[in-house]
Amino acid sequence: MPDTPVDAQERTEDAPAVKARPKAKTPKNKAQARADKGKNSAQGMLSAVKRTGRKSSGKPSVFDAVGEEAKSSRGLFGGLTPKLMLELAAPHTWSASIMPVFLAMCLTAADDGMLSSLMVVILLFISILMQSAVNTFNDYQDFVKGADTKENQDDPTDAVLVYNDVEPYGVRNLAVVFVVLAFLLGIYVIVQVGWTPLIIALIGVACLYLYSGGPKPLSYLPVGEIVSGVVMGGLITLASYMALSGEFSLIILVKSLPLIIGIGLIMFTNNTCDIEKDRKVGRATLSVSLGRKDSIVVYKALILAWILLIVLNVVIFYPTGSLGLLFLVAAYPPLMGLFRNPFIPATRQAGMSAITTANVCLGLAYGAAIMLSGIVIVGV
């Protein structure tokens, strides 16, 4: 009886597979076999590298050499151009580093009546370099942690790594260079007034690293605004005052309270606008913890406290310069802009511009009132 189609299929499946006839082992076939084996091995290694991001074994491979050669060809800064380096340094944020030195200059001038112009210039460069390091390292950390993407960063100048073909290691190296340059300039300060400013600077560097680096960065906690305000507004003012006057005085921290609030509000502005973005990446900033509605209430209260502390400090410590408080009216436009800002992603740039301008206006008014209370002798 002839097989049914089903029986024929079952017998075909059970039958052993017919092996392909091996090729004759000629010299040509042997060479081709070795070439195919090497090609398959290399493809397998490349796939492993792509999957894991690491070499497949502890031994150096050809791909490590290729990677090192590519890294070397892009240089120390991984393809960064001077323009991109400047964008990473973020000059629009430098008011947070200039105003502490300016305040220390005004306090020294009012208290001592003398001022070293060379020391002021050096302190300004040191402070700007440290601020640039903070900005650069923060961009690096946000990129490697996946917090910055094209979806949540619409400003190319605020996300250099996202929008440009540069290597992350180059951005990290640039941050280190900024810190090294600041410390080289700091040698002059140490020679002039001793080691205390260096100790204060080291505390600042530690905060710089902890702010963006480490397993749990401070910028991911509800203390980032406080840390940025205290370090930039308080410690830099304290160290600069000592470098200019030669005296270590903790009362300077009281006199720098307006600056601590103003600089802290820069970060508070950014974080309140970025609440949704920060929640997605697990950032528990003060703004995320409070929510937008309560954050805005706290924000407005801090602005009022900022202005009140300027007035109180001038009236208590420098009453003869009270006339300078009239310059506070210059801060009215940016402050009104902040009071009307809903602090949403769409108004982030307007908010950052307004809080930066407000820092400059209020800082200059505070400094003018202090300067008016004393006679300044500028020296070298």
Side-chain angles (χ1 to χ4, degrees), residues 71-243:
K71 184 174 180 179
S72 176
S73 67
R74 305 207 74 179
L76 177 67
F77 299 115
L80 281 173
T81 63
K83 178 177 178 291
L84 294 178
M85 290 180 181
L86 188 62
E87 289 179 2
L88 285 164
H92 62 280
T93 69
W94 286 355
S95 62
S97 56
I98 293 173
M99 296 316 295
V101 178
F102 172 74
L103 177 58
M105 180 189 75
C106 295
L107 292 171
T108 304
D111 294 345
D112 293 353
M114 294 190 67
L115 200 61
S116 168
S117 56
L118 178 59
M119 183 65 81
V120 170
V121 171
I122 289 176
L123 290 172
L124 279 172
F125 273 108
I126 291 173
S127 190
I128 288 173
L129 284 167
M130 292 300 293
Q131 175 71 38
S132 300
V134 171
N135 295 335
T136 304
F137 191 63
N138 193 47
D139 280 7
Y140 166 75
Q141 287 292 337
D142 282 348
F143 179 79
V144 298
K145 292 178 184 293
D148 280 352
T149 63
K150 286 187 178 179
E151 289 71 29
N152 60 32
Q153 285 285 4
D154 56 359
D155 183 5
T157 63
D158 200 34
V160 171
L161 277 159
V162 173
Y163 285 91
N164 298 276
D165 180 27
V166 297
E167 299 289 349
Y169 74 84
V171 176
R172 179 203 61 204
N173 291 347
L174 179 62
V176 173
V177 168
F178 284 143
V179 173
V180 171
L181 290 175
F183 271 89
L184 289 176
L185 287 173
I187 294 174
Y188 174 80
V189 180
I190 294 170
V191 170
Q192 295 296 316
V193 296
W195 293 92
T196 305
L198 175 62
I199 295 172
I200 298 174
L202 288 173
I203 296 173
V205 171
C207 291
L208 181 160
Y209 173 73
L210 294 174
Y211 183 82
S212 299
K216 196 67 175 179
L218 295 176
S219 62
Y220 280 63
L221 302 173
V223 296
E225 295 84 353
I226 299 172
V227 171
S228 63
V230 170
V231 172
M232 299 296 296
L235 293 184
I236 290 181
T237 306
L238 178 63
S240 298
Y241 179 83
M242 184 179 179

